[in-house]
Amino acid sequence: MARAAVLGRLTWQVGTVAVVREETATARTIVLDVPGWSGHTAGQHVDVRLTAQDGYSTQRSYSIASAPAPGRLELTVQRLEDGEVSPYLTDVLKPGFPLELRGPIGGWFAWDPAAAGPVLLVAGGSGVVPLMSMIRARAAAGSHAPFRLVYSVRSPDTALYPAELAQRGHAGEGVEVSWVYTRSAPAGARVRVGRLNPVVLAAPGWTPEAAPAVFICGPTGFVEAAASLLVRAGHDPGVIKTERFGPSGGQA
Amino acid sequence: MGIVSPGFKGRGGAGREKLPPGQYLVTDFPVLSAGPTPRVDTGSWELRIRTETGEVHSWDWAAFRALPSEEITVDLHCVTKWSKLHTPWRGVSLDTLLAEAETSAEYALARSYGGYTTNLPLQDLLDGQAWVAYEFDGEPLESEHGGPARLLVPHLYLWKSAKWVQGIDLLDNDEPGFWESLGYHNYGDPWREQRYWGD
């Protein structure tokens, strides 16, 4: 197992917001210029620190959405209704604002483009963010590793990156994208509304025999359900890596 | 202290002063783990303590549950920033489990069903600082929180409290565990904010 460990000391750095991009009604991508940032491994996250005028300070972790690149990174942040940090990042932060961060963090839930084997990505809601970094890293590196993303969302309007996923999911690109809609499907689409199920996960070429590396990210309930389905289908628990988005674990 | 974030006020409120640096309070119980949740049947469950000389002490579920247990209420601090206060557990003290072990080891490596490991100094397991817990809030510990039994070492970040604990090796030399090999701090004191290597 390749281990992309964090090396050396992680110091706080100050990035500057270059661009913000609204992704959905409640999620936004923040593009940061971070001088001295040396890139990351797809799947890793950063710690973000906010400090108030009175000295009160708090931190949260956010997955990196972009492909690895020096000096620049993108975070996609989902606003939590009762959140302390995410509403600041989605509603207050503007281009030109400073943002303190340190990273990249996490050597386990990470995909290295040097790995040629098939990769099965399973996302629930905003859990798609670190998986999107893997899809983008694959393209940026010119990798031909077969990829499949199974992406579960409540409804089409809550989906992150739908246009880009449609483009990257074109036949011949090597990335299959399958959508699961748990509450409502796009108008006119011939898809059944419902939760992630064994049939969706067991597409041709993506059975346990193909031994894909599996990355699952989403709320706890979703991750538990997806991991259980895959283990029951015969995938080796040892190749299934999970990352849970918190703090609370509703079903995506 | 970091640079001021323009327009950030923070939520404030109760609990803010009692938390280690960089932590925030939650009232639910988040789940963090690196892979699928192992389903461990108490019928085949076993806890093994192995000393540096190879001496093994083991308990099956019935023998383990027959040991004297303690009710404890502790605060939990996860490296992913959440803290949960006043959590009620029941478990067997490591002082009880290690009472018969003859050892001069200085380190311990906890091993879990599913392959997870975490290391800590043996002295951090002693003197009423650590338990193998099997009940949370009066109920059997759920598998996603580490049931049937997990290590509980609340004075360190929660990744040291190995879920699904299967054994503890007592070692003369320190051996980094799973997260400790992947960039997380070797000791993990939340009050000194020892999250990552070099902190």
Side-chain angles (χ1 to χ4, degrees), chain A residues 103-131:
Chain A
I105 295 158
W108 176 248
F109 196 85
W111 178 74
D112 179 348
V119 178
L120 175 59
L121 309 173
V122 185
S126 59
V128 76
V129 174
L131 310 182

Side-chain angles (χ1 to χ4, degrees), chain A residues 3-10 12 14 45 47 49-61 82-85 88 92 97-100 102 105-108 220 224 227-228 231 237 240-244 247-249, chain B residues 1-12 16-17 21-26 28-37 39 79-82 114 143-144 163-164 177-179 181-184 193-199:
Chain A
R3 291 195 161 188
V6 177
L7 295 171
R9 185 175 157 73
L10 286 172
W12 289 98
V14 180
H45 66 272
D47 284 358
R49 177 164 71 182
L50 300 184
T51 303
Q53 198 75 44
D54 66 1
Y56 169 72
S57 169
T58 193
Q59 302 176 24
R60 298 291 188 280
S61 298
D82 56 349
E84 181 182 30
V85 171
Y88 175 84
V92 180
F97 276 32
L99 189 66
E100 260 194 308
R102 67 173 182 159
I105 295 158
W108 176 248
T220 286
E224 287 289 320
S228 298
V231 169
I240 300 175
K241 299 186 178 188
T242 61
E243 182 112 302
R244 294 142 204 265
S248 301
Chain B
M1 172 181 155
I3 58 157
V4 170
S5 316
F8 177 66
K9 294 187 179 66
R11 186 153 47 197
R16 184 157 137 172
E17 300 309 318
Q23 296 293 110
Y24 66 94
L25 196 61
V26 300
D28 60 350
F29 195 167
V31 172
L32 275 300
S33 44
T37 297
R39 311 287 162 184
V79 70
T80 63
K81 320 291 179 330
W82 57 266
S143 57
E144 66 183 40
K163 294 177 182 177
W164 316 296
F178 177 84
W179 288 121
S181 303
L182 286 165
Y184 283 76
E193 206 173 359
Q194 294 173 334
R195 298 183 195 276
Y196 312 120
W197 294 352
D199 278 355

Side-chain angles (χ1 to χ4, degrees), chain B residues 71-148:
Chain B
E71 265 184 55
I72 46 202
T73 298
V74 297
D75 299 340
L76 307 178
H77 307 296
C78 178
V79 70
T80 63
K81 320 291 179 330
W82 57 266
S83 291
K84 184 174 176 63
L85 304 181
H86 316 305
T87 62
W89 300 81
R90 176 176 287 279
V92 177
S93 170
L94 263 292
D95 294 317
T96 303
L97 293 166
L98 291 168
E100 306 293 319
E102 280 194 35
T103 181
S104 59
E106 290 187 31
Y107 301 98
L109 183 72
R111 291 179 291 98
S112 297
Y113 290 95
Y116 181 77
T117 58
T118 187
N119 62 307
L120 58 186
L122 179 54
Q123 65 176 20
D124 284 82
L125 292 180
L126 302 174
D127 302 324
Q129 296 186 91
W131 297 265
V132 172
Y134 56 85
E135 277 181 19
F136 175 76
D137 206 7
E139 300 288 336
L141 186 58
E142 290 176 24
S143 57
E144 66 183 40
H145 290 303

